[in-house]
CSV table of all heavy atoms in Angstrom, one decimal:
chain,number,residue,atom,x,y,z
A,26,ASP,N,0.8,-1.2,0.0
A,26,ASP,CA,0.0,0.0,0.0
A,26,ASP,C,0.9,1.2,0.0
A,26,ASP,O,1.5,1.6,1.0
A,26,ASP,CB,-0.9,0.0,1.2
A,26,ASP,CG,-1.8,1.2,1.2
A,26,ASP,OD1,-1.8,2.0,0.3
A,26,ASP,OD2,-2.6,1.3,2.2
A,27,LEU,N,1.0,1.9,-1.2
A,27,LEU,CA,1.9,3.1,-1.3
A,27,LEU,C,1.3,4.3,-0.5
A,27,LEU,O,2.0,5.3,-0.3
A,27,LEU,CB,2.1,3.4,-2.8
A,27,LEU,CG,2.7,2.4,-3.6
A,27,LEU,CD1,2.8,2.8,-5.1
A,27,LEU,CD2,4.1,2.0,-3.1
A,28,GLY,N,0.1,4.2,0.0
A,28,GLY,CA,-0.5,5.2,0.8
A,28,GLY,C,0.0,5.2,2.2
A,28,GLY,O,-0.2,6.2,2.9
A,29,CYS,N,0.6,4.2,2.6
A,29,CYS,CA,1.1,4.0,4.0
A,29,CYS,C,2.5,4.7,4.2
A,29,CYS,O,3.5,4.0,4.2
A,29,CYS,CB,1.2,2.6,4.4
A,29,CYS,SG,-0.5,1.8,4.5
A,30,ILE,N,2.5,6.0,4.2
A,30,ILE,CA,3.8,6.7,4.4
A,30,ILE,C,4.1,6.8,5.8
A,30,ILE,O,3.3,7.2,6.7
A,30,ILE,CB,3.6,8.2,3.8
A,30,ILE,CG1,3.3,8.0,2.3
A,30,ILE,CG2,4.9,9.0,4.0
A,30,ILE,CD1,3.0,9.4,1.6
A,31,PRO,N,5.4,6.6,6.2
A,31,PRO,CA,5.8,6.7,7.6
A,31,PRO,C,5.6,8.1,8.1
A,31,PRO,O,5.7,9.1,7.3
A,31,PRO,CB,7.3,6.3,7.5
A,31,PRO,CG,7.5,5.6,6.3
A,31,PRO,CD,6.5,6.1,5.3
A,32,ALA,N,5.4,8.2,9.4
A,32,ALA,CA,5.3,9.5,10.0
A,32,ALA,C,6.6,10.3,9.9
A,32,ALA,O,7.7,9.7,9.8
A,32,ALA,CB,4.9,9.4,11.5
A,33,LYS,N,6.5,11.6,9.9
A,33,LYS,CA,7.7,12.4,9.9
A,33,LYS,C,8.7,12.1,10.9
A,33,LYS,O,10.0,12.0,10.7
A,33,LYS,CB,7.3,13.9,10.0
A,33,LYS,CG,8.5,14.9,9.8
A,33,LYS,CD,8.0,16.3,9.9
A,33,LYS,CE,9.2,17.3,9.6
A,33,LYS,NZ,8.7,18.7,9.7
A,34,GLU,N,8.3,11.8,12.1
A,34,GLU,CA,9.1,11.5,13.2
A,34,GLU,C,9.9,10.2,13.0
A,34,GLU,O,11.1,10.0,13.3
A,34,GLU,CB,8.3,11.3,14.5
A,34,GLU,CG,7.8,12.6,15.0
A,34,GLU,CD,6.6,13.1,14.2
A,34,GLU,OE1,6.0,12.3,13.5
A,34,GLU,OE2,6.2,14.3,14.4
A,35,GLU,N,9.2,9.2,12.3
A,35,GLU,CA,9.9,7.9,12.0
A,35,GLU,C,11.0,8.1,11.0
A,35,GLU,O,12.1,7.5,11.2
A,35,GLU,CB,8.8,6.9,11.4
A,35,GLU,CG,7.8,6.5,12.4
A,35,GLU,CD,6.8,5.5,11.8
A,35,GLU,OE1,5.9,6.0,11.1
A,35,GLU,OE2,7.0,4.3,11.9
A,36,ILE,N,10.7,8.9,10.0
A,36,ILE,CA,11.8,9.2,9.0
A,36,ILE,C,12.9,9.9,9.6
A,36,ILE,O,14.1,9.6,9.4
A,36,ILE,CB,11.2,9.9,7.8
A,36,ILE,CG1,10.2,9.1,7.0
A,36,ILE,CG2,12.3,10.4,6.9
A,36,ILE,CD1,9.5,9.7,5.8
A,37,GLN,N,12.6,10.9,10.5
A,37,GLN,CA,13.7,11.6,11.1
A,37,GLN,C,14.5,10.7,12.0
A,37,GLN,O,15.8,10.8,12.0
A,37,GLN,CB,13.1,12.8,12.0
A,37,GLN,CG,14.1,13.7,12.6
A,37,GLN,CD,14.8,14.6,11.6
A,37,GLN,OE1,14.3,14.7,10.4
A,37,GLN,NE2,15.9,15.1,11.9
A,38,GLN,N,13.9,9.8,12.7
A,38,GLN,CA,14.7,8.9,13.6
A,38,GLN,C,15.6,8.0,12.8
A,38,GLN,O,16.7,7.7,13.2
A,38,GLN,CB,13.7,8.1,14.4
A,38,GLN,CG,13.0,8.9,15.5
A,38,GLN,CD,11.9,8.1,16.2
A,38,GLN,OE1,11.7,6.9,15.9
A,38,GLN,NE2,11.2,8.7,17.1
A,39,ALA,N,15.1,7.5,11.6
A,39,ALA,CA,15.9,6.7,10.7
A,39,ALA,C,17.1,7.4,10.2
A,39,ALA,O,18.2,6.8,10.2
A,39,ALA,CB,15.0,6.2,9.6
A,40,LEU,N,16.9,8.7,9.9
A,40,LEU,CA,18.1,9.5,9.4
A,40,LEU,C,19.1,9.7,10.6
A,40,LEU,O,20.3,9.7,10.4
A,40,LEU,CB,17.6,10.8,8.9
A,40,LEU,CG,16.8,10.8,7.5
A,40,LEU,CD1,16.1,12.1,7.2
A,40,LEU,CD2,17.8,10.4,6.4
A,41,GLU,N,18.5,10.0,11.7
A,41,GLU,CA,19.4,10.2,12.9
A,41,GLU,C,20.2,8.9,13.3
A,41,GLU,O,21.4,9.0,13.7
A,41,GLU,CB,18.6,10.7,14.1
A,41,GLU,CG,18.1,12.1,13.9
A,41,GLU,CD,17.1,12.5,15.0
A,41,GLU,OE1,16.8,11.7,15.9
A,41,GLU,OE2,16.7,13.7,15.1
A,42,MET,N,19.6,7.8,13.1
A,42,MET,CA,20.3,6.5,13.3
A,42,MET,C,21.5,6.4,12.4
A,42,MET,O,22.5,5.8,12.7
A,42,MET,CB,19.3,5.4,13.2
A,42,MET,CG,18.3,5.2,14.3
A,42,MET,SD,17.2,3.8,14.1
A,42,MET,CE,18.3,2.5,14.0
A,43,ARG,N,21.3,6.9,11.2
A,43,ARG,CA,22.3,6.7,10.2
A,43,ARG,C,23.4,7.8,10.3
A,43,ARG,O,24.6,7.5,10.2
A,43,ARG,CB,21.7,6.8,8.8
A,43,ARG,CG,22.7,6.8,7.6
A,43,ARG,CD,23.5,5.5,7.6
A,43,ARG,NE,22.6,4.3,7.5
A,43,ARG,CZ,23.0,3.1,7.5
A,43,ARG,NH1,24.3,2.8,7.8
A,43,ARG,NH2,22.2,2.1,7.4
A,44,HIS,N,23.0,9.1,10.5
A,44,HIS,CA,24.0,10.2,10.5
A,44,HIS,C,24.3,10.7,11.9
A,44,HIS,O,25.3,11.5,12.0
A,44,HIS,CB,23.4,11.3,9.7
A,44,HIS,CG,23.0,11.0,8.3
A,44,HIS,ND1,21.9,11.5,7.7
A,44,HIS,CD2,23.6,10.2,7.4
A,44,HIS,CE1,21.9,11.0,6.4
A,44,HIS,NE2,22.9,10.2,6.3
A,45,GLY,N,23.5,10.4,12.9
A,45,GLY,CA,23.7,10.9,14.2
A,45,GLY,C,22.9,12.2,14.4
A,45,GLY,O,22.6,12.9,13.4
A,46,LYS,N,22.4,12.5,15.6
A,46,LYS,CA,21.5,13.6,15.8
A,46,LYS,C,22.1,14.9,15.4
A,46,LYS,O,21.4,15.8,14.8
A,46,LYS,CB,20.9,13.6,17.2
A,46,LYS,CG,19.9,12.5,17.5
A,46,LYS,CD,19.3,12.8,18.9
A,46,LYS,CE,18.2,11.7,19.2
A,46,LYS,NZ,17.6,12.0,20.5
A,47,GLN,N,23.3,15.2,15.8
A,47,GLN,CA,23.9,16.5,15.6
A,47,GLN,C,24.1,16.8,14.1
A,47,GLN,O,23.8,17.9,13.7
A,47,GLN,CB,25.3,16.5,16.3
A,47,GLN,CG,25.9,17.9,16.3
A,47,GLN,CD,27.2,18.0,17.1
A,47,GLN,OE1,27.6,17.0,17.7
A,47,GLN,NE2,27.8,19.1,17.2
A,48,LEU,N,24.6,15.8,13.4
A,48,LEU,CA,24.9,16.0,12.0
A,48,LEU,C,23.5,16.1,11.2
A,48,LEU,O,23.4,17.0,10.3
A,48,LEU,CB,25.7,14.9,11.4
A,48,LEU,CG,26.0,15.0,9.9
A,48,LEU,CD1,26.7,16.3,9.6
A,48,LEU,CD2,26.9,13.8,9.5
A,49,GLN,N,22.6,15.3,11.6
A,49,GLN,CA,21.3,15.3,10.9
A,49,GLN,C,20.6,16.6,11.1
A,49,GLN,O,19.9,17.1,10.2
A,49,GLN,CB,20.4,14.1,11.3
A,49,GLN,CG,19.1,14.0,10.5
A,49,GLN,CD,19.4,14.0,9.1
A,49,GLN,OE1,20.2,13.2,8.6
A,49,GLN,NE2,18.7,14.8,8.3
A,50,LYS,N,20.8,17.2,12.3
A,50,LYS,CA,20.2,18.5,12.6
A,50,LYS,C,20.8,19.6,11.6
A,50,LYS,O,20.0,20.4,11.1
A,50,LYS,CB,20.5,19.0,14.0
A,50,LYS,CG,19.8,20.3,14.4
A,50,LYS,CD,20.1,20.6,15.9
A,50,LYS,CE,19.4,21.9,16.2
A,50,LYS,NZ,19.6,22.3,17.7
A,51,LYS,N,22.0,19.5,11.3
A,51,LYS,CA,22.7,20.4,10.3
A,51,LYS,C,22.0,20.2,8.9
A,51,LYS,O,21.8,21.2,8.2
A,51,LYS,CB,24.2,20.2,10.3
A,51,LYS,CG,24.9,20.6,11.5
A,51,LYS,CD,26.4,20.4,11.4
A,51,LYS,CE,27.1,20.8,12.7
A,51,LYS,NZ,28.6,20.6,12.6
A,52,PHE,N,21.9,18.9,8.6
A,52,PHE,CA,21.3,18.6,7.3
A,52,PHE,C,19.8,19.2,7.2
A,52,PHE,O,19.4,19.8,6.2
A,52,PHE,CB,21.3,17.1,7.0
A,52,PHE,CG,22.7,16.6,6.8
A,52,PHE,CD1,22.8,15.2,6.7
A,52,PHE,CD2,23.8,17.3,6.6
A,52,PHE,CE1,24.1,14.6,6.5
A,52,PHE,CE2,25.0,16.8,6.4
A,52,PHE,CZ,25.2,15.4,6.4
A,53,SER,N,19.1,18.9,8.3
A,53,SER,CA,17.7,19.3,8.3
A,53,SER,C,17.5,20.8,8.3
A,53,SER,O,16.4,21.3,7.7
A,53,SER,CB,17.0,18.7,9.5
A,53,SER,OG,17.0,17.2,9.5
A,54,ASN,N,18.4,21.5,8.8
A,54,ASN,CA,18.3,23.0,8.9
A,54,ASN,C,18.8,23.7,7.7
A,54,ASN,O,18.7,24.9,7.5
A,54,ASN,CB,19.0,23.5,10.1
A,54,ASN,CG,18.3,23.1,11.4
A,54,ASN,OD1,17.1,22.8,11.4
A,54,ASN,ND2,19.0,23.1,12.5
A,55,ALA,N,19.4,22.9,6.7
A,55,ALA,CA,20.1,23.5,5.6
A,55,ALA,C,19.1,23.8,4.4
A,55,ALA,O,18.1,23.1,4.2
A,55,ALA,CB,21.2,22.6,5.1
A,56,THR,N,19.4,24.9,3.7
A,56,THR,CA,18.7,25.2,2.4
A,56,THR,C,19.7,25.2,1.3
A,56,THR,O,20.7,25.9,1.3
A,56,THR,CB,18.1,26.6,2.5
A,56,THR,OG1,17.1,26.6,3.6
A,56,THR,CG2,17.4,27.0,1.2
A,57,VAL,N,19.5,24.3,0.3
A,57,VAL,CA,20.4,24.2,-0.8
A,57,VAL,C,19.6,24.5,-2.1
A,57,VAL,O,18.5,24.0,-2.3
A,57,VAL,CB,20.9,22.7,-0.9
A,57,VAL,CG1,21.9,22.6,-2.1
A,57,VAL,CG2,21.6,22.4,0.4
A,58,ALA,N,20.2,25.4,-2.9
A,58,ALA,CA,19.6,25.7,-4.2
A,58,ALA,C,20.3,24.9,-5.3
A,58,ALA,O,21.5,24.7,-5.3
A,58,ALA,CB,19.8,27.2,-4.5
A,59,ILE,N,19.5,24.4,-6.3
A,59,ILE,CA,20.0,23.7,-7.4
A,59,ILE,C,19.6,24.4,-8.7
A,59,ILE,O,18.4,24.5,-9.0
A,59,ILE,CB,19.5,22.2,-7.4
A,59,ILE,CG1,19.9,21.5,-6.1
A,59,ILE,CG2,20.1,21.5,-8.6
A,59,ILE,CD1,19.3,20.1,-5.9
A,60,CYS,N,20.6,24.9,-9.4
A,60,CYS,CA,20.3,25.7,-10.6
A,60,CYS,C,20.5,24.8,-11.8
A,60,CYS,O,21.6,24.5,-12.2
A,60,CYS,CB,21.3,26.9,-10.6
A,60,CYS,SG,21.2,28.0,-9.2
A,61,GLY,N,19.4,24.4,-12.4
A,61,GLY,CA,19.4,23.5,-13.5
A,61,GLY,C,19.0,22.1,-13.0
A,61,GLY,O,19.6,21.6,-12.1
A,62,LEU,N,18.0,21.5,-13.6
A,62,LEU,CA,17.4,20.2,-13.1
A,62,LEU,C,17.5,19.1,-14.1
A,62,LEU,O,16.6,18.3,-14.3
A,62,LEU,CB,16.0,20.5,-12.7
A,62,LEU,CG,15.7,21.6,-11.7
A,62,LEU,CD1,14.2,21.7,-11.3
A,62,LEU,CD2,16.5,21.3,-10.4
A,63,GLY,N,18.6,19.1,-14.9
A,63,GLY,CA,18.9,18.1,-15.8
A,63,GLY,C,19.6,16.9,-15.2
A,63,GLY,O,19.3,16.5,-14.1
A,64,GLY,N,20.5,16.3,-16.0
A,64,GLY,CA,21.2,15.1,-15.5
A,64,GLY,C,22.0,15.4,-14.2
A,64,GLY,O,21.9,14.5,-13.3
A,65,LEU,N,22.6,16.5,-14.1
A,65,LEU,CA,23.3,16.9,-12.8
A,65,LEU,C,22.3,17.2,-11.7
A,65,LEU,O,22.3,16.6,-10.7
A,65,LEU,CB,24.3,18.0,-13.0
A,65,LEU,CG,25.5,17.8,-13.8
A,65,LEU,CD1,26.3,19.1,-14.0
A,65,LEU,CD2,26.4,16.8,-13.0
A,66,GLY,N,21.5,18.2,-12.0
A,66,GLY,CA,20.6,18.8,-11.0
A,66,GLY,C,19.6,17.8,-10.4
A,66,GLY,O,19.4,17.7,-9.2
A,67,SER,N,19.0,17.0,-11.3
A,67,SER,CA,18.0,16.0,-10.8
A,67,SER,C,18.6,15.0,-9.9
A,67,SER,O,18.0,14.6,-8.9
A,67,SER,CB,17.2,15.4,-11.9
A,67,SER,OG,18.1,14.6,-12.8
A,68,HIS,N,19.9,14.5,-10.2
A,68,HIS,CA,20.5,13.6,-9.4
A,68,HIS,C,21.1,14.2,-8.1
A,68,HIS,O,21.0,13.5,-7.0
A,68,HIS,CB,21.7,12.9,-10.1
A,68,HIS,CG,21.2,11.9,-11.1
A,68,HIS,ND1,21.1,12.1,-12.4
A,68,HIS,CD2,20.8,10.6,-10.9
A,68,HIS,CE1,20.6,11.0,-13.0
A,68,HIS,NE2,20.4,10.1,-12.1
A,69,ILE,N,21.5,15.4,-8.1
A,69,ILE,CA,21.9,16.1,-6.9
A,69,ILE,C,20.7,16.2,-6.0
A,69,ILE,O,20.8,15.9,-4.8
A,69,ILE,CB,22.4,17.5,-7.2
A,69,ILE,CG1,23.7,17.5,-8.0
A,69,ILE,CG2,22.6,18.3,-5.9
A,69,ILE,CD1,24.2,18.8,-8.6
A,70,ALA,N,19.6,16.6,-6.5
A,70,ALA,CA,18.4,16.7,-5.7
A,70,ALA,C,18.0,15.4,-5.0
A,70,ALA,O,17.6,15.4,-3.8
A,70,ALA,CB,17.2,17.2,-6.5
A,71,PHE,N,18.0,14.3,-5.7
A,71,PHE,CA,17.7,13.0,-5.2
A,71,PHE,C,18.7,12.6,-4.0
A,71,PHE,O,18.2,12.2,-3.0
A,71,PHE,CB,17.7,11.9,-6.3
A,71,PHE,CG,16.4,11.6,-6.8
A,71,PHE,CD1,15.6,12.5,-7.5
A,71,PHE,CD2,15.8,10.3,-6.5
A,71,PHE,CE1,14.4,12.2,-8.0
A,71,PHE,CE2,14.5,10.0,-7.0
A,71,PHE,CZ,13.8,10.9,-7.7
A,72,ALA,N,20.0,12.8,-4.3
A,72,ALA,CA,20.9,12.5,-3.2
A,72,ALA,C,20.7,13.3,-2.0
A,72,ALA,O,20.8,12.8,-0.8
A,72,ALA,CB,22.4,12.7,-3.8
């Protein structure tokens, strides 16, 4: 069921388990601009 999306808190916890709370906080608070959404930009965005 593709409609069963995990809660925001669950996803955040999974990221924190991988990156650590301190580092994930830096990632979560960041704003990144991507100029151009072709081969480079679309893959940068996904990563």
Side-chain angles (χ1 to χ4, degrees):
D26 182 4
L27 297 179
C29 295
I30 298 174
K33 184 177 182 179
E34 293 75 16
E35 292 179 278
I36 293 179
Q37 187 69 18
Q38 288 174 4
L40 290 167
E41 289 175 354
M42 287 177 61
R43 177 61 59 186
H44 302 143
K46 285 189 177 182
Q47 185 175 2
L48 181 56
Q49 186 55 51
K50 184 177 180 180
K51 293 179 180 180
F52 292 170
S53 298
N54 290 338
T56 298
V57 180
I59 304 174
C60 302
L62 304 179
L65 287 173
S67 62
H68 283 100
I69 293 169
F71 260 68

